[in-house]
């Protein structure tokens, strides 16, 4: 096994590579823990909303409104001026 020279063991700004890797690992661990904490907070809020009848009613109403908007936008009303010859063109608005 060959030993690295002191020059090879240092990273930017003459910081030993081992120290930089340890610092990076520490930051990744902290970020992962923060992400887990945020996820738990989100799940707690979702749990509270689902258990509250008034909140659920608002959520269902909002989703129904969204569904109606999507359906209305997906199927534009037919243009009665054009004959129905079985051909469906692609309309490009621009």
């Amino acid at each position: 096994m060959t030993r690295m020279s002191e020059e090879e063991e240092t990273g930017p700004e003459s910081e030993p590579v081992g120290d930089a890797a340890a610092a990076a690992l520490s930051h990744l661990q902290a970020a992962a823990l923060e992400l887990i904490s945020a996820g738990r907070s989100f799940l707690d809020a979702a749990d509270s909303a689902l258990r509250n009848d008034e909140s659920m009613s608002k959520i269902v109403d909002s989703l129904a409104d969204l569904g109606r908007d999507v359906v209305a936008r997906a199927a534009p009303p037919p243009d009665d001026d054009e004959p129905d010859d079985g051909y469906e063109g692609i309309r490009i608005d621009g």
Side-chain angles (χ1 to χ4, degrees):
M1 188 163 158
T2 60
R3 171 100 170 109
M4 288 187 198
S5 69
E6 189 174 320
E7 233 176 68
E8 293 172 320
E9 288 181 356
T10 59
E13 301 175 13
S14 299
E15 184 179 331
V17 173
D19 290 346
L25 180 59
S26 176
H27 287 294
L28 285 174
Q29 286 173 327
L33 291 171
E34 190 66 28
L35 185 60
I36 290 168
S37 178
R40 285 184 180 138
S41 295
F42 175 79
L43 290 174
D44 287 343
D47 182 63
S48 294
L50 291 173
R51 292 180 190 277
N52 183 325
D53 290 340
E54 187 177 330
S55 293
M56 276 305 298
S57 178
K58 289 179 182 178
I59 290 169
V60 170
D61 288 343
S62 295
L63 290 174
D65 288 343
L66 177 64
R68 282 189 288 273
D69 287 346
V70 168
V71 169
R73 292 172 193 255
D79 189 1
D80 293 334
D81 294 339
E82 295 179 18
D84 185 13
D85 57 2
Y87 173 77
E88 185 176 337
I90 299 173
R91 181 173 290 167
I92 300 174
D93 296 328

